[in-house]
Amino acid sequence: MKEEILNVLKHAGRSLDLMEIAYAVYNNPGAKEIGIVSSLLSTLISDYEVEINRKGKYQICTLVRGRLALNPKGFGFVCPDEGDDFHISRNNLNGALDGDIVVMEKINDPQYKNEGRILKVVKRNAANLVGEIYFDNGQIKIKLNGSDMKVNLEVEDPNQYVAGQIVLLEETKVVNKKTINAKIKATI
């Protein structure tokens, strides 16, 4: 049903209101069907696939959604499902990690034709939360692979780990765009 709504919006050539979408999806929608369409539109908005314009009508989202591919040098590229990739400088990553599904906006940069700034991580690539243990003044710390993000580690017994161990982490909370709370899920 989500795909039907997206197809209606893509092929309409203009923004549509709720009733126009409901009538395009169902021949003669009742209150139940209109409620279903409304609920699905809310989901599509939260997934950054649809947005509401100034007139209160629905349209395909003008922000770009895609998967982030980080370069070891610290910058990355957002690879959308359709169209060209966008360069993302280190300063515009906003806490996103390699493989995350992100939403970004296009920005003007004289150096790059397609430059963007990540606005939000839609879905974290959990497989990416791999890091190396080190100790700083007796406290256990983690250096994430491919990221300078700070990790507040939740660990019951730090004595069971040694410097240099590679661990898989589970994110427990996003503190801000540069810091997460995490616990060790497994040693690799």
Side-chain angles (χ1 to χ4, degrees):
M1 179 69 74
K2 285 184 196 177
E3 290 302 318
E4 288 179 60
I5 292 172
L6 289 171
N7 281 332
V8 165
L9 288 169
K10 283 177 187 172
H11 294 97
R14 62 184 178 87
S15 56
L16 302 173
D17 65 26
L18 173 63
M19 294 307 291
E20 289 173 311
I21 296 169
Y23 272 93
V25 173
Y26 296 100
N27 275 340
N28 191 15
K32 178 181 175 185
E33 289 83 11
I34 293 168
I36 291 169
V37 170
S38 178
S39 175
L40 289 171
L41 282 166
S42 294
T43 301
L44 290 167
I45 289 169
S46 66
D47 288 344
Y48 291 92
E49 294 185 68
V50 170
E51 63 188 8
I52 300 175
N53 66 17
R54 292 187 322 251
K55 295 180 181 178
K57 293 189 174 189
Y58 299 92
Q59 63 190 28
I60 296 297
C61 192
T62 56
L63 298 173
V64 177
R65 179 185 161 123
R67 184 173 302 278
L68 176 65
L70 281 180
N71 183 290
K73 294 181 180 177
F75 62 88
F77 293 91
V78 170
C79 308
D81 292 338
E82 297 175 11
D84 295 332
D85 295 352
F86 287 83
H87 178 268
I88 309 293
S89 73
R90 172 187 293 265
N91 296 335
N92 290 327
L93 290 172
N94 285 334
L97 300 171
D98 188 55
D100 288 350
I101 303 297
V102 298
V103 172
M104 54 143 283
E105 65 181 343
K106 299 174 190 176
I107 61 174
N108 290 325
D109 186 319
Q111 188 176 1
Y112 298 99
K113 176 184 165 196
N114 288 336
E115 178 73 11
R117 174 182 316 129
I118 294 176
L119 300 175
K120 181 175 182 175
V121 174
V122 176
K123 185 176 180 195
R124 179 75 73 196
N125 180 8
N128 255 348
L129 295 178
V130 175
E132 182 178 342
I133 291 179
Y134 71 97
F135 288 88
D136 185 22
N137 292 327
Q139 286 198 324
I140 188 169
K141 303 278 184 172
I142 296 285
K143 169 65 178 140
L144 283 181
N145 291 351
S147 173
D148 56 0
M149 181 177 283
K150 183 177 182 235
V151 177
N152 295 329
L153 196 57
E154 302 166 9
V155 60
E156 291 178 20
D157 182 13
N159 296 325
Q160 66 181 324
Y161 301 103
V162 296
Q165 263 183 314
I166 306 298
V167 293
L168 177 64
L169 301 170
E170 179 180 333
E171 181 182 291
T172 57
K173 181 181 177 185
V174 176
V175 177
N176 58 46
K177 65 182 184 179
K178 293 285 185 186
T179 308
I180 61 169
N181 291 350
K183 61 183 178 182
I184 296 174
K185 197 172 180 180
T187 55
I188 300 175

